[in-house]
Amino acid sequence: MTTAEIFRTFLGNLRIENHTQIEDRYGEITAALNKNFRDTESKTANSLQVGSYGRWTAIKGISDLDMVYIVPASKWDTYNKNGGQSKLLADTKKAIQSRYPRTNIYVDRLVVCVLYTNFHIEVQPVFELEDGSFKYPNTKNGGSWKITKPREEIRATKEFIDNKNKNLRHLCKILRAWKNKHGVGIGGLLIDTLAHNFLASTDAYDNKSYNYHDYMVRDFFQYASNLQGQDYYLALGSKQRVRVKQKFQRPAKKAYDLCCEAINATGQDNEGDKWKKVFGSDFPSTRSSVTKATMESANNFAFSNTEQFIEDQHPIDIRYPLTIDCEVSQNGFRERLLSEILHLNHPLKSKKSLKFFIKNKEIPGDYSIKWKVLNQGPEAQRRDCIRGQIIFDTGREEIKESTSFKGDHIVDCYIIKNNVVIAKDSIQVPISENL
């Protein structure tokens, strides 16, 4: 497969699979609000799909959808008073609830959140201003009105996509696969903003297509890894502040190195395997069936491949940062954290006790936690101890293991909310020979 073919296939694999269902939900909510505020039942009038779905930069698994509903201007005096912001959100919730009486719907300070099985829609009732921007209600500190400009973001994104041979849209989608693979807790608008800033800084890809996507993503990661740390960026079009939830420079540097390895493997059977390390299982394999069979027959160990994959259990839409660490001890005495041992390049010997735990998280509301422990390498195969099953947390937000044998071992942690993986982190545990 050529570079163009594998990246075209990759982007095809990222297409939203439940597009029809999402459109239906948008339409039903719009009809409910039109019925309440205008006594009509149009499924398209007076609403606007915003966020990454509205900008057409979303990928499959998207769970956080946004829309604005334009309230009639004649209702302004009704809500522009003390407590009016809360009343507008309450009336919006009531109208949607009449359409979905058994659906979980609640007010969340700025929006009305409508929960479905694998995604939710945040509905923001707004009043339109003469310049096309919107006033929306904020119930914090007694209530106020704030300004949002999603039309400017959508329009500017489309214009830039057209001027850059659709490469902005492609890059935005590819970067979402990267952040989902590696658990980088940055939002969709920040991804689109960084991708825009990168492509605006160079004309190297103005007329390039799929055949240069490998270089384009490599150069983006180099660009992102060299950015100075800052608290926010200005969004494309609206110039509104986009907050940085998690520093992305170090993961971008790691991705750059992996991209270089993948590019060096161009045309080889393992090229796809290299790219999968950057973007996950949706990247197509470049191994032929003959090569796969040869690899399997060359394996001298009979072992059970018991590894499970979180994407087979839940959609993945990373939105929050998560950090896990591990406490290393022996004979009941704590030695140090695994992160410190790895930073010092010290070997992790066998016969140690390991307690993996969640070090940092910023996730509101209720959620569940799952863990995965995977053993890799010839020793794990010889012992038939690959493991890799995904299990629920016991309620302590930790999991205990031991260093039994040499090899690379990986521990993953997943946080699931509303059936969607919204945060993840991974630790590689390299165990050396017992000295």
Side-chain angles (χ1 to χ4, degrees), residues 16 19 34 40 68 76 104 108 113 120 178 180 186 193 231 254 260-262 275 290 294 306 365 372 376 385 402 408:
I16 295 174
H19 177 76
N34 277 328
T40 71
V68 297
W76 173 247
N104 185 5
D108 187 12
C113 191
H120 67 272
W178 162 70
N180 285 344
I186 58 178
T193 299
D231 295 331
K254 179 181 177 181
C260 290
E261 292 181 14
W275 285 114
V290 175
T294 301
T306 53
K372 171 178 168 178
Q376 295 180 312
C385 192
S402 62
D408 285 334

PDB file of all heavy atoms in Angstrom, residues 16 19 34 40 68 76 104 108 113 120 178 180 186 193 231 254 260-262 275 290 294 306 365 372 376 385 402 408:
ATOM      1  N   ILE A  16     -17.456   8.919  11.491  1.00  0.00           N
ATOM      2  CA  ILE A  16     -18.493   8.742  12.513  1.00  0.00           C
ATOM      3  C   ILE A  16     -19.476   7.675  12.040  1.00  0.00           C
ATOM      4  O   ILE A  16     -20.046   7.783  10.945  1.00  0.00           O
ATOM      5  CB  ILE A  16     -19.213  10.069  12.794  1.00  0.00           C
ATOM      6  CG1 ILE A  16     -18.226  11.063  13.418  1.00  0.00           C
ATOM      7  CG2 ILE A  16     -20.409   9.864  13.713  1.00  0.00           C
ATOM      8  CD1 ILE A  16     -18.793  12.455  13.614  1.00  0.00           C
ATOM      9  N   HIS A  19     -23.801   8.573  12.546  1.00  0.00           N
ATOM     10  CA  HIS A  19     -24.164   9.901  12.057  1.00  0.00           C
ATOM     11  C   HIS A  19     -25.684  10.078  11.972  1.00  0.00           C
ATOM     12  O   HIS A  19     -26.224  11.112  12.401  1.00  0.00           O
ATOM     13  CB  HIS A  19     -23.523  10.130  10.684  1.00  0.00           C
ATOM     14  CG  HIS A  19     -23.881  11.424  10.037  1.00  0.00           C
ATOM     15  ND1 HIS A  19     -23.351  12.635  10.421  1.00  0.00           N
ATOM     16  CD2 HIS A  19     -24.746  11.716   9.026  1.00  0.00           C
ATOM     17  CE1 HIS A  19     -23.861  13.605   9.680  1.00  0.00           C
ATOM     18  NE2 HIS A  19     -24.700  13.073   8.817  1.00  0.00           N
ATOM     19  N   ASN A  34     -38.687  24.175  19.375  1.00  0.00           N
ATOM     20  CA  ASN A  34     -39.529  24.986  18.509  1.00  0.00           C
ATOM     21  C   ASN A  34     -40.998  24.911  18.922  1.00  0.00           C
ATOM     22  O   ASN A  34     -41.723  25.911  18.868  1.00  0.00           O
ATOM     23  CB  ASN A  34     -39.366  24.540  17.048  1.00  0.00           C
ATOM     24  CG  ASN A  34     -38.158  25.163  16.378  1.00  0.00           C
ATOM     25  OD1 ASN A  34     -37.780  26.288  16.689  1.00  0.00           O
ATOM     26  ND2 ASN A  34     -37.540  24.437  15.455  1.00  0.00           N
ATOM     27  N   THR A  40     -44.110  25.610  16.610  1.00  0.00           N
ATOM     28  CA  THR A  40     -43.890  24.897  15.357  1.00  0.00           C
ATOM     29  C   THR A  40     -43.132  23.620  15.713  1.00  0.00           C
ATOM     30  O   THR A  40     -42.692  23.444  16.849  1.00  0.00           O
ATOM     31  CB  THR A  40     -43.059  25.725  14.355  1.00  0.00           C
ATOM     32  OG1 THR A  40     -41.709  25.808  14.821  1.00  0.00           O
ATOM     33  CG2 THR A  40     -43.636  27.115  14.194  1.00  0.00           C
ATOM     34  N   VAL A  68     -26.675  25.054  19.768  1.00  0.00           N
ATOM     35  CA  VAL A  68     -27.311  26.241  20.313  1.00  0.00           C
ATOM     36  C   VAL A  68     -28.721  26.308  19.742  1.00  0.00           C
ATOM     37  O   VAL A  68     -28.958  25.958  18.578  1.00  0.00           O
ATOM     38  CB  VAL A  68     -26.524  27.528  19.978  1.00  0.00           C
ATOM     39  CG1 VAL A  68     -25.154  27.491  20.623  1.00  0.00           C
ATOM     40  CG2 VAL A  68     -26.403  27.749  18.484  1.00  0.00           C
ATOM     41  N   TRP A  76     -36.843  38.086  25.151  1.00  0.00           N
ATOM     42  CA  TRP A  76     -35.711  38.671  25.876  1.00  0.00           C
ATOM     43  C   TRP A  76     -36.134  39.287  27.207  1.00  0.00           C
ATOM     44  O   TRP A  76     -35.524  39.059  28.250  1.00  0.00           O
ATOM     45  CB  TRP A  76     -35.005  39.696  25.000  1.00  0.00           C
ATOM     46  CG  TRP A  76     -33.931  40.479  25.717  1.00  0.00           C
ATOM     47  CD1 TRP A  76     -33.939  41.803  26.017  1.00  0.00           C
ATOM     48  CD2 TRP A  76     -32.692  39.969  26.220  1.00  0.00           C
ATOM     49  NE1 TRP A  76     -32.795  42.162  26.671  1.00  0.00           N
ATOM     50  CE2 TRP A  76     -32.007  41.046  26.813  1.00  0.00           C
ATOM     51  CE3 TRP A  76     -32.098  38.704  26.225  1.00  0.00           C
ATOM     52  CZ2 TRP A  76     -30.755  40.917  27.410  1.00  0.00           C
ATOM     53  CZ3 TRP A  76     -30.855  38.556  26.823  1.00  0.00           C
ATOM     54  CH2 TRP A  76     -30.193  39.645  27.412  1.00  0.00           C
ATOM     55  N   ASN A 104     -32.463  10.962  30.841  1.00  0.00           N
ATOM     56  CA  ASN A 104     -31.818  11.753  31.891  1.00  0.00           C
ATOM     57  C   ASN A 104     -31.424  13.111  31.317  1.00  0.00           C
ATOM     58  O   ASN A 104     -30.555  13.210  30.449  1.00  0.00           O
ATOM     59  CB  ASN A 104     -30.588  11.009  32.419  1.00  0.00           C
ATOM     60  CG  ASN A 104     -29.942  11.717  33.597  1.00  0.00           C
ATOM     61  OD1 ASN A 104     -30.456  12.712  34.086  1.00  0.00           O
ATOM     62  ND2 ASN A 104     -28.820  11.194  34.055  1.00  0.00           N
ATOM     63  N   ASP A 108     -26.763  22.175  33.688  1.00  0.00           N
ATOM     64  CA  ASP A 108     -25.380  22.213  34.149  1.00  0.00           C
ATOM     65  C   ASP A 108     -24.801  23.619  33.954  1.00  0.00           C
ATOM     66  O   ASP A 108     -23.976  23.841  33.077  1.00  0.00           O
ATOM     67  CB  ASP A 108     -24.539  21.179  33.395  1.00  0.00           C
ATOM     68  CG  ASP A 108     -23.126  21.062  33.947  1.00  0.00           C
ATOM     69  OD1 ASP A 108     -22.874  21.593  35.038  1.00  0.00           O
ATOM     70  OD2 ASP A 108     -22.275  20.455  33.281  1.00  0.00           O
ATOM     71  N   CYS A 113     -28.069  19.399  29.565  1.00  0.00           N
ATOM     72  CA  CYS A 113     -27.395  18.191  29.090  1.00  0.00           C
ATOM     73  C   CYS A 113     -28.410  17.070  28.911  1.00  0.00           C
ATOM     74  O   CYS A 113     -29.168  16.749  29.835  1.00  0.00           O
ATOM     75  CB  CYS A 113     -26.325  17.778  30.091  1.00  0.00           C
ATOM     76  SG  CYS A 113     -25.218  16.501  29.471  1.00  0.00           S
ATOM     77  N   HIS A 120     -23.864  12.415  24.600  1.00  0.00           N
ATOM     78  CA  HIS A 120     -24.805  13.377  25.153  1.00  0.00           C
ATOM     79  C   HIS A 120     -24.739  14.662  24.346  1.00  0.00           C
ATOM     80  O   HIS A 120     -23.735  14.965  23.694  1.00  0.00           O
ATOM     81  CB  HIS A 120     -24.531  13.656  26.635  1.00  0.00           C
ATOM     82  CG  HIS A 120     -23.249  14.362  26.903  1.00  0.00           C
ATOM     83  ND1 HIS A 120     -22.047  13.705  27.086  1.00  0.00           N
ATOM     84  CD2 HIS A 120     -22.964  15.684  27.008  1.00  0.00           C
ATOM     85  CE1 HIS A 120     -21.090  14.584  27.299  1.00  0.00           C
ATOM     86  NE2 HIS A 120     -21.606  15.793  27.253  1.00  0.00           N
ATOM     87  N   TRP A 178      -4.912  10.350  17.782  1.00  0.00           N
ATOM     88  CA  TRP A 178      -3.701  10.361  18.624  1.00  0.00           C
ATOM     89  C   TRP A 178      -4.036  10.625  20.080  1.00  0.00           C
ATOM     90  O   TRP A 178      -3.578   9.909  20.969  1.00  0.00           O
ATOM     91  CB  TRP A 178      -2.735  11.421  18.085  1.00  0.00           C
ATOM     92  CG  TRP A 178      -1.670  11.829  19.062  1.00  0.00           C
ATOM     93  CD1 TRP A 178      -0.615  11.081  19.491  1.00  0.00           C
ATOM     94  CD2 TRP A 178      -1.557  13.089  19.734  1.00  0.00           C
ATOM     95  NE1 TRP A 178       0.153  11.797  20.395  1.00  0.00           N
ATOM     96  CE2 TRP A 178      -0.403  13.030  20.554  1.00  0.00           C
ATOM     97  CE3 TRP A 178      -2.312  14.266  19.716  1.00  0.00           C
ATOM     98  CZ2 TRP A 178       0.000  14.111  21.343  1.00  0.00           C
ATOM     99  CZ3 TRP A 178      -1.906  15.336  20.502  1.00  0.00           C
ATOM    100  CH2 TRP A 178      -0.760  15.243  21.307  1.00  0.00           C
ATOM    101  N   ASN A 180      -6.804  10.185  21.657  1.00  0.00           N
ATOM    102  CA  ASN A 180      -7.566   9.061  22.207  1.00  0.00           C
ATOM    103  C   ASN A 180      -6.666   7.857  22.479  1.00  0.00           C
ATOM    104  O   ASN A 180      -6.848   7.138  23.459  1.00  0.00           O
ATOM    105  CB  ASN A 180      -8.693   8.655  21.258  1.00  0.00           C
ATOM    106  CG  ASN A 180      -9.860   9.632  21.269  1.00  0.00           C
ATOM    107  OD1 ASN A 180      -9.986  10.442  22.179  1.00  0.00           O
ATOM    108  ND2 ASN A 180     -10.706   9.563  20.261  1.00  0.00           N
ATOM    109  N   ILE A 186      -6.853  16.981  26.068  1.00  0.00           N
ATOM    110  CA  ILE A 186      -7.074  18.308  25.506  1.00  0.00           C
ATOM    111  C   ILE A 186      -8.360  18.285  24.694  1.00  0.00           C
ATOM    112  O   ILE A 186      -8.734  17.270  24.122  1.00  0.00           O
ATOM    113  CB  ILE A 186      -5.886  18.769  24.628  1.00  0.00           C
ATOM    114  CG1 ILE A 186      -5.614  17.787  23.493  1.00  0.00           C
ATOM    115  CG2 ILE A 186      -4.634  18.928  25.486  1.00  0.00           C
ATOM    116  CD1 ILE A 186      -4.483  18.221  22.569  1.00  0.00           C
ATOM    117  N   THR A 193      -7.516  24.383  16.888  1.00  0.00           N
ATOM    118  CA  THR A 193      -6.755  25.631  16.931  1.00  0.00           C
ATOM    119  C   THR A 193      -5.275  25.381  16.684  1.00  0.00           C
ATOM    120  O   THR A 193      -4.627  26.087  15.898  1.00  0.00           O
ATOM    121  CB  THR A 193      -6.961  26.329  18.285  1.00  0.00           C
ATOM    122  OG1 THR A 193      -8.354  26.638  18.453  1.00  0.00           O
ATOM    123  CG2 THR A 193      -6.148  27.606  18.377  1.00  0.00           C
ATOM    124  N   ASP A 231      -1.451  29.131  29.074  1.00  0.00           N
ATOM    125  CA  ASP A 231      -2.718  28.716  29.674  1.00  0.00           C
ATOM    126  C   ASP A 231      -3.854  28.630  28.667  1.00  0.00           C
ATOM    127  O   ASP A 231      -4.821  27.915  28.895  1.00  0.00           O
ATOM    128  CB  ASP A 231      -3.112  29.679  30.798  1.00  0.00           C
ATOM    129  CG  ASP A 231      -2.138  29.649  31.964  1.00  0.00           C
ATOM    130  OD1 ASP A 231      -1.533  28.581  32.183  1.00  0.00           O
ATOM    131  OD2 ASP A 231      -1.989  30.680  32.645  1.00  0.00           O
ATOM    132  N   LYS A 254       7.008  12.683  21.958  1.00  0.00           N
ATOM    133  CA  LYS A 254       7.008  11.224  21.826  1.00  0.00           C
ATOM    134  C   LYS A 254       6.384  10.806  20.493  1.00  0.00           C
ATOM    135  O   LYS A 254       6.890   9.907  19.804  1.00  0.00           O
ATOM    136  CB  LYS A 254       6.241  10.599  22.988  1.00  0.00           C
ATOM    137  CG  LYS A 254       6.158   9.085  22.934  1.00  0.00           C
ATOM    138  CD  LYS A 254       5.366   8.537  24.110  1.00  0.00           C
ATOM    139  CE  LYS A 254       5.220   7.016  24.016  1.00  0.00           C
ATOM    140  NZ  LYS A 254       4.422   6.474  25.149  1.00  0.00           N
ATOM    141  N   CYS A 260       8.792   9.481  13.109  1.00  0.00           N
ATOM    142  CA  CYS A 260      10.067   9.317  12.396  1.00  0.00           C
ATOM    143  C   CYS A 260      10.370   7.837  12.173  1.00  0.00           C
ATOM    144  O   CYS A 260      10.831   7.444  11.091  1.00  0.00           O
ATOM    145  CB  CYS A 260      11.194   9.986  13.179  1.00  0.00           C
ATOM    146  SG  CYS A 260      11.110  11.796  13.199  1.00  0.00           S
ATOM    147  N   GLU A 261      10.096   7.020  13.195  1.00  0.00           N
ATOM    148  CA  GLU A 261      10.314   5.580  13.044  1.00  0.00           C
ATOM    149  C   GLU A 261       9.391   5.003  11.976  1.00  0.00           C
ATOM    150  O   GLU A 261       9.809   4.152  11.175  1.00  0.00           O
ATOM    151  CB  GLU A 261      10.064   4.880  14.384  1.00  0.00           C
ATOM    152  CG  GLU A 261      11.081   5.202  15.465  1.00  0.00           C
ATOM    153  CD  GLU A 261      10.782   4.464  16.765  1.00  0.00           C
ATOM    154  OE1 GLU A 261       9.960   3.529  16.730  1.00  0.00           O
ATOM    155  OE2 GLU A 261      11.362   4.821  17.797  1.00  0.00           O
ATOM    156  N   ALA A 262       8.140   5.465  11.964  1.00  0.00           N
ATOM    157  CA  ALA A 262       7.185   4.948  10.974  1.00  0.00           C
ATOM    158  C   ALA A 262       7.582   5.356   9.563  1.00  0.00           C
ATOM    159  O   ALA A 262       7.493   4.558   8.618  1.00  0.00           O
ATOM    160  CB  ALA A 262       5.779   5.458  11.310  1.00  0.00           C
ATOM    161  N   TRP A 275       2.883   2.969  12.713  1.00  0.00           N
ATOM    162  CA  TRP A 275       1.886   4.041  12.805  1.00  0.00           C
ATOM    163  C   TRP A 275       0.822   3.740  13.852  1.00  0.00           C
ATOM    164  O   TRP A 275       0.265   4.658  14.469  1.00  0.00           O
ATOM    165  CB  TRP A 275       1.233   4.275  11.441  1.00  0.00           C
ATOM    166  CG  TRP A 275       2.094   5.001  10.463  1.00  0.00           C
ATOM    167  CD1 TRP A 275       2.610   4.524   9.293  1.00  0.00           C
ATOM    168  CD2 TRP A 275       2.547   6.364  10.550  1.00  0.00           C
ATOM    169  NE1 TRP A 275       3.355   5.485   8.659  1.00  0.00           N
ATOM    170  CE2 TRP A 275       3.333   6.634   9.408  1.00  0.00           C
ATOM    171  CE3 TRP A 275       2.355   7.375  11.493  1.00  0.00           C
ATOM    172  CZ2 TRP A 275       3.930   7.878   9.183  1.00  0.00           C
ATOM    173  CZ3 TRP A 275       2.950   8.613  11.269  1.00  0.00           C
ATOM    174  CH2 TRP A 275       3.720   8.852  10.133  1.00  0.00           C
ATOM    175  N   VAL A 290       0.624 -13.487   4.049  1.00  0.00           N
ATOM    176  CA  VAL A 290       1.756 -14.419   4.050  1.00  0.00           C
ATOM    177  C   VAL A 290       2.706 -14.086   5.192  1.00  0.00           C
ATOM    178  O   VAL A 290       3.180 -14.962   5.925  1.00  0.00           O
ATOM    179  CB  VAL A 290       2.499 -14.375   2.705  1.00  0.00           C
ATOM    180  CG1 VAL A 290       3.754 -15.248   2.758  1.00  0.00           C
ATOM    181  CG2 VAL A 290       1.582 -14.826   1.580  1.00  0.00           C
ATOM    182  N   THR A 294       3.698 -16.360   8.469  1.00  0.00           N
ATOM    183  CA  THR A 294       5.096 -16.692   8.744  1.00  0.00           C
ATOM    184  C   THR A 294       5.465 -16.329  10.176  1.00  0.00           C
ATOM    185  O   THR A 294       6.149 -17.092  10.873  1.00  0.00           O
ATOM    186  CB  THR A 294       6.023 -15.943   7.768  1.00  0.00           C
ATOM    187  OG1 THR A 294       5.682 -16.304   6.435  1.00  0.00           O
ATOM    188  CG2 THR A 294       7.476 -16.277   8.041  1.00  0.00           C
ATOM    189  N   THR A 306      -4.876 -13.548  25.472  1.00  0.00           N
ATOM    190  CA  THR A 306      -6.060 -13.195  26.259  1.00  0.00           C
ATOM    191  C   THR A 306      -6.301 -11.692  26.330  1.00  0.00           C
ATOM    192  O   THR A 306      -7.186 -11.243  27.058  1.00  0.00           O
ATOM    193  CB  THR A 306      -5.905 -13.728  27.691  1.00  0.00           C
ATOM    194  OG1 THR A 306      -4.654 -13.280  28.233  1.00  0.00           O
ATOM    195  CG2 THR A 306      -5.927 -15.256  27.703  1.00  0.00           C
ATOM    196  N   GLY A 365     -18.470  14.734  38.581  1.00  0.00           N
ATOM    197  CA  GLY A 365     -19.591  13.799  38.585  1.00  0.00           C
ATOM    198  C   GLY A 365     -19.199  12.357  38.820  1.00  0.00           C
ATOM    199  O   GLY A 365     -18.099  12.042  39.263  1.00  0.00           O
ATOM    200  N   LYS A 372      -6.199  -2.561  33.251  1.00  0.00           N
ATOM    201  CA  LYS A 372      -5.723  -3.633  32.380  1.00  0.00           C
ATOM    202  C   LYS A 372      -4.228  -3.841  32.636  1.00  0.00           C
ATOM    203  O   LYS A 372      -3.459  -2.892  32.651  1.00  0.00           O
ATOM    204  CB  LYS A 372      -5.951  -3.261  30.910  1.00  0.00           C
ATOM    205  CG  LYS A 372      -5.302  -4.198  29.893  1.00  0.00           C
ATOM    206  CD  LYS A 372      -5.662  -3.742  28.484  1.00  0.00           C
ATOM    207  CE  LYS A 372      -4.842  -4.415  27.420  1.00  0.00           C
ATOM    208  NZ  LYS A 372      -5.229  -3.999  26.053  1.00  0.00           N
ATOM    209  N   GLN A 376       4.181  -8.702  28.234  1.00  0.00           N
ATOM    210  CA  GLN A 376       4.675  -8.848  26.874  1.00  0.00           C
ATOM    211  C   GLN A 376       6.036  -9.538  26.870  1.00  0.00           C
ATOM    212  O   GLN A 376       6.733  -9.568  27.877  1.00  0.00           O
ATOM    213  CB  GLN A 376       4.803  -7.475  26.206  1.00  0.00           C
ATOM    214  CG  GLN A 376       3.479  -6.744  26.011  1.00  0.00           C
ATOM    215  CD  GLN A 376       3.675  -5.402  25.338  1.00  0.00           C
ATOM    216  OE1 GLN A 376       4.531  -4.620  25.715  1.00  0.00           O
ATOM    217  NE2 GLN A 376       2.863  -5.129  24.322  1.00  0.00           N
ATOM    218  N   CYS A 385       1.318 -16.365  30.087  1.00  0.00           N
ATOM    219  CA  CYS A 385       0.831 -15.391  31.060  1.00  0.00           C
ATOM    220  C   CYS A 385       0.756 -13.999  30.421  1.00  0.00           C
ATOM    221  O   CYS A 385       1.299 -13.029  30.948  1.00  0.00           O
ATOM    222  CB  CYS A 385       1.743 -15.372  32.290  1.00  0.00           C
ATOM    223  SG  CYS A 385       1.055 -14.472  33.700  1.00  0.00           S
ATOM    224  N   SER A 402       2.794  -7.631  41.258  1.00  0.00           N
ATOM    225  CA  SER A 402       4.161  -7.931  41.698  1.00  0.00           C
ATOM    226  C   SER A 402       5.034  -8.139  40.474  1.00  0.00           C
ATOM    227  O   SER A 402       4.539  -8.466  39.386  1.00  0.00           O
ATOM    228  CB  SER A 402       4.197  -9.177  42.580  1.00  0.00           C
ATOM    229  OG  SER A 402       3.758 -10.320  41.849  1.00  0.00           O
ATOM    230  N   ASP A 408       8.619  -6.591  29.385  1.00  0.00           N
ATOM    231  CA  ASP A 408       7.873  -5.333  29.413  1.00  0.00           C
ATOM    232  C   ASP A 408       6.425  -5.623  29.793  1.00  0.00           C
ATOM    233  O   ASP A 408       5.772  -6.476  29.193  1.00  0.00           O
ATOM    234  CB  ASP A 408       7.920  -4.656  28.040  1.00  0.00           C
ATOM    235  CG  ASP A 408       9.272  -4.026  27.770  1.00  0.00           C
ATOM    236  OD1 ASP A 408       9.956  -3.683  28.747  1.00  0.00           O
ATOM    237  OD2 ASP A 408       9.638  -3.881  26.589  1.00  0.00           O
TER     238      ASP A 408
END
